[in-house]
Amino acid sequence: MAKELLEGNAAIAEAAIRAGLEAYFGYPITPQTEVLEHLARRLPEEGRVFLQAESEVASINMVYGAACAGARVMTSSSSPGISLMQEGLSYIACSEVPAVVINIMRGGPGLGNVAPSQGDYFQAVKMAGHGDFHPIVLAPGNIQEAIDLVVLAFDLAEKYRTIAMVVADGSLGQMMEPAELPPMRPVRPPAERPPWALTGARGRQPNIITSLYLEPEVLEEVNLRLQAKLQEIAANEVRWKEYSSEDADLLLVAFGTVGRVCQTAVREARRQGLKVGLLRPITLWPFPSARLAELAGQVRGMLVVEMNAGQMVEDVRLAVEGRCPVRFYGRLGGIIPLPDEILPELERLDKEC
Amino acid sequence: MVTVEIPADMELVYKRPQSLTETHTHYCPGCTHGIIHRLIAEVIDELGIRERTIGIAPVGCSVLAYYYFNMDFAEAAHGRAPAMATGIKRVSPDRVVFTYQGDGDLAAIGTAEIIQAANRGELFTTIFVNNAIYGMTGGQMAPTTLPGQVTTSSPTGRDVETAGFPMKMAELLAVLPGAAYVTRQAVFDPRGIHRTRAAIKLAFQTQLAELGFSLVEVLSTCNTNWHMGVVEALEWAKKHMVAYYPLGDTKVSDGVRALMETR
Ligand SMILES: Cc1ncc(C[n+]2csc(CCOP(=O)(O)OP(=O)(O)O)c2C)c(N)n1
């Protein structure tokens, strides 16, 4: 298939259709409404399910239901809407049903604004809901990667029976660039739904999907099983990209759109004679900690750049364990940091480390 | 399982429905959840739909209903069973889906979900158990608690000036075009139990005929948290609950009426 000029949100929506999405439940919120609008038009065309829910609380519980029934299902929202989904996400995680959630992040806290932000890093990575769990968190840096990661999200969600969340800031949702959509996968017929799904107990014992375990010993066992699964994911699914890191003695760490800005900063810094490299985590959970630890032995210092007050920087510091200084630069309120702001920070890092 | 030979001169007239498991329930002695479970199970057996029915348990005393029903079951977050049922039914339109919800679950925290599902005419059935109190959390005021009724969170009796009046859900939902069959019944005596069974059957038939959303509100007792004896609770409910919550159908769509006539 050839490249075409695609808008981020529409590309994400169409990628989900190509990946075999059977049902979508969502509620409008800027800057991701185009995901919902695209699916409102396209899913009925394909004979699949689209439903505009009454709220994000309802959306996520509709997703929970459809996932329990064994269908490929997704919802999308932006920051405040994801906050409303957190109880449902926790139930889904404990019940071990697969679900894909898109968060096109906007400025916060509160109603904030509709400008691009990465303020929901902690929420996605550390505390997507109450209790002990992590969704798989995928952070695309451009529209092609967003398309590819949406397809991957469905595969990972089903493989591990977990939540796969794709997080991108609003600018990625709204921008246009050339990208290639994958071919259309056939939709899995209802007769081939997984054996654990709620399809009616025909000729078998009933299936029960619950997140309630009243006996502490039993709930501990459930948690240990969840943790073992998370460890398996952490061992197998870490993804990141490096730019000019081979000979770098200073390292930028940034995800999503900021990673892209940092690529420009790397080029400009190198023109000034600074040996700067970049690591861009693609999975925010699991986090590329081992690779960062390795690089900490190679570089003099790291600079983490984010569109928040310093969230991923904590994970970088945990990975580096003091082996090199880790500095932070961030912009808030929906402002994208520019290479011109990042360069002086790199110069300072160069002088001080 | 206990197997008993039936002597040749006797006829089996009463047995556990196939749609119930043999598990003993955790419900308090005197609680009417057990009766309502049995009625649903009998109807599912009678309609021959057990193997294609998916039930959804609420958060409330009936949170463990999936242990008692012998069919596929999910356990929803508090109040969200109608959203979950929507998700299941939309991707499995040839399956039968029902939610089983208490009054706190349906008429307080889950008000939006039930109203919106009814309004969309979702093709599932809701069994709504109104016992005028929050049973599971130990007897707090519910949206259905009667004026003046004493609970742990309305220790001097429900004050309608500050807490509002009890919600009449069957009447409220009836005005929505998507709701095809809405009725209120009570399980306080054999006659009421019989009528409730017929209503539950009609509600499932409404779903099977794809006529729209169906809901049976069942007035129920909670002798434990009402601090009454079993018989006293039934008498109190008959006198006070039925007075505030009139029994009978609040919505019968033309399609459902036609269905009733063919029965
Ligand atoms: C989000 C959330 N809030 C509160 C609770 C606590 N809670 C559990 S059951 C319940 C009340 C249930 O009452 P009702 O729906 O009337 O059912 P009953 O127990 O009387 O059958 C509450 C408030 C919860 N589990 N989840």
Side-chain angles (χ1 to χ4, degrees), chain A residues 27-34 56 76-81 106 111:
Chain A
Y27 188 83
I29 180 169
T30 312
Q32 69 76 47
T33 304
E34 296 82 5
E56 291 84 351
S76 63
S77 189
S78 181
S79 314
R106 54 188 261 173
L111 195 51

Side-chain angles (χ1 to χ4, degrees), chain A residues 97-115:
Chain A
V97 293
V100 171
V101 177
I102 313 285
N103 181 6
I104 307 296
M105 298 178 278
R106 54 188 261 173
L111 195 51
N113 61 24
V114 298

Side-chain angles (χ1 to χ4, degrees), chain A residues 22-23 25 49-55 57-58 61-66 68-69 71 87 91 190 193 197-212 214, chain B residues 50-55 59 63-64 66-67 69-78 80 82-88 90-92 95 109 112-114 116-117 120 122 136:
Chain A
E22 291 174 72
F25 304 93
V49 176
F50 169 88
L51 181 59
Q52 182 172 326
E54 61 269 29
S55 70
V57 173
N61 286 286
M62 289 171 183
V63 165
Y64 186 21
C68 288
E87 185 200 33
Y91 274 66
R193 291 199 176 149
L198 305 182
T199 52
R202 179 163 311 190
R204 60 159 169 78
Q205 287 300 305
N207 286 338
I208 291 168
I209 296 183
T210 182
S211 65
L212 177 72
L214 289 170
Chain B
R50 185 186 72 85
E51 293 189 330
R52 62 182 180 112
T53 295
I54 298 153
V59 171
V63 67
L64 293 172
Y66 49 80
Y67 284 142
F69 284 103
N70 181 23
M71 63 196 65
D72 277 9
F73 240 86
E75 201 290 302
H78 198 16
R80 315 303 172 210
M84 232 183 149
T86 299
I88 295 174
R90 291 283 180 130
V91 300
S92 314
R95 297 298 191 263
I109 196 166
E113 283 76 12
I114 195 66
Q116 300 288 339
R120 289 190 302 264
E122 294 293 342
M136 191 190 203

Side-chain angles (χ1 to χ4, degrees), chain B:
Chain B
M1 189 153 60
V2 185
T3 323
V4 187
E5 274 300 313
I6 302 166
D9 58 339
M10 287 188 186
E11 189 193 345
L12 183 68
V13 293
Y14 192 81
K15 64 176 181 12
R16 178 177 54 79
Q18 213 195 340
S19 291
L20 286 183
T21 64
E22 289 188 61
T23 313
H24 288 267
T25 75
H26 68 286
Y27 299 120
C28 304
C31 172
T32 43
H33 272 310
I35 295 172
I36 301 163
H37 282 22
R38 184 180 167 100
L39 295 179
I40 295 168
E42 284 180 3
V43 165
I44 289 174
D45 276 11
E46 189 186 329
L47 295 173
I49 53 174
R50 185 186 72 85
E51 293 189 330
R52 62 182 180 112
T53 295
I54 298 153
I56 301 166
V59 171
C61 283
S62 45
V63 67
L64 293 172
Y66 49 80
Y67 284 142
Y68 314 137
F69 284 103
N70 181 23
M71 63 196 65
D72 277 9
F73 240 86
E75 201 290 302
H78 198 16
R80 315 303 172 210
M84 232 183 149
T86 299
I88 295 174
K89 185 75 182 193
R90 291 283 180 130
V91 300
S92 314
D94 57 348
R95 297 298 191 263
V96 179
V97 178
F98 77 96
T99 71
Y100 187 103
Q101 301 179 255
D103 43 47
D105 196 79
L106 182 140
I109 196 166
T111 321
E113 283 76 12
I114 195 66
I115 288 179
Q116 300 288 339
N119 191 51
R120 289 190 302 264
E122 294 293 342
L123 297 174
F124 66 82
T125 299
T126 293
I127 309 301
F128 166 41
V129 180
N130 177 356
N131 61 5
I133 206 155
Y134 282 20
M136 191 190 203
T137 39
Q140 298 77 32
M141 185 179 72
T144 46
T145 295
L146 295 182
Q149 189 182 339
V150 172
T151 71
T152 62
S153 60
S154 56
T156 55
R158 180 179 187 142
D159 177 3
V160 295
E161 289 294 319
T162 56
F165 282 88
M167 305 257 284
K168 295 184 175 177
M169 292 308 292
E171 285 80 353
L172 205 147
L173 294 166
V175 301
L176 303 171
Y181 178 55
V182 183
T183 188
R184 183 183 290 117
Q185 303 294 332
V187 286
F188 304 143
D189 53 30
R191 207 165 88 125
I193 291 170
H194 191 72
R195 287 188 172 170
T196 303
R197 189 187 190 285
I200 292 172
K201 184 173 166 192
L202 184 57
F204 275 97
Q205 287 174 319
T206 299
Q207 177 178 174
L208 289 167
E210 302 188 355
L211 297 173
F213 175 76
S214 49
L215 178 140
V216 182
E217 175 172 341
V218 185
L219 299 186
S220 183
T221 60
C222 180
N223 49 293
T224 299
N225 286 301
W226 293 356
H227 303 288
M228 293 180 196
V230 175
V231 176
E232 188 193 355
L234 289 166
E235 275 162 7
W236 186 88
K238 249 188 199 175
K239 187 162 168 215
H240 299 286
M241 281 187 80
V242 177
Y244 190 89
Y245 297 112
L247 301 183
D249 300 340
T250 56
K251 177 70 168 286
V252 178
S253 73
D254 292 344
V256 174
R257 192 166 305 286
L259 194 68
M260 285 165 106
E261 278 156 15
T262 60
R263 292 223 290 188

Side-chain angles (χ1 to χ4, degrees), chain A residues 72 97-100 135-138 148-166 185 229 232-233 236-239 282-283 285-286:
Chain A
R72 277 205 152 183
V97 293
V100 171
I136 295 173
V137 185
L138 303 162
D148 300 342
L149 291 182
V150 166
V151 177
L152 179 70
F154 282 100
D155 293 341
L156 292 179
E158 275 171 26
K159 179 172 178 195
Y160 296 104
R161 288 175 61 181
T162 189
I163 302 160
M165 199 185 255
V166 178
R185 272 192 205 170
K229 178 166 83 176
E232 190 191 335
I233 296 170
N236 297 333
E237 306 299 346
V238 183
R239 287 168 171 80
I282 292 173
T283 50
W285 199 95

